[in-house]
């Protein structure tokens, strides 16, 4: 992929997490690349779609979070 865009659906609305192909949208979504998915509203079980002109079909990813474990005391 050369310029993948990343989208999802949150509360029934499409949300662009990142889109590099349009300058104004790229500037607006670039800060999302530094955010945690949960800070962007993406929760366990949500779908993230990655699309690019070089790929015939978008790639859908189902987010699955694992519980963070406490470090063991030694």
């Amino acid at each position: 992929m050369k310029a993948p865009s990343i989208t999802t659906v949150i509360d029934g609305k499409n949300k662009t997490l990142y889109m590099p192909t349009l300058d104004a949208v790229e500037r607006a979504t670039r800060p999302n690349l530094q955010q945690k998915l949960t800070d962007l509203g993406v929760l366990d079980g949500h779908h993230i779609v990655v699309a690019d002109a070089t790929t015939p079909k978008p790639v859908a990813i189902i987010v699955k979070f694992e519980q963070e474990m406490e470090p063991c005391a030694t």
Side-chain angles (χ1 to χ4, degrees):
M1 293 187 176
K2 293 186 178 191
S5 62
I6 306 167
T7 59
T8 191
V9 176
I10 296 175
D11 296 328
K13 298 178 185 176
N14 289 330
K15 180 173 182 173
T16 300
L17 301 176
Y18 182 68
M19 183 178 288
T21 54
L22 300 169
D23 287 341
V25 179
E26 195 279 333
R27 283 191 300 276
T29 58
R30 185 182 313 143
N32 291 344
L33 297 174
Q34 301 299 318
Q35 299 290 322
K36 293 180 181 180
L37 290 174
T38 53
D39 293 341
L40 297 170
V42 177
L43 303 175
D44 191 59
H46 277 187
H47 292 217
I48 292 176
V49 178
V50 181
D52 186 86
T54 63
T55 307
K57 292 185 178 183
V59 177
I61 300 165
I62 300 172
V63 175
K64 181 68 180 163
F65 293 117
E66 293 185 13
Q67 285 188 329
E68 194 170 310
M69 298 179 67
E70 298 276 333
C72 296
T74 55

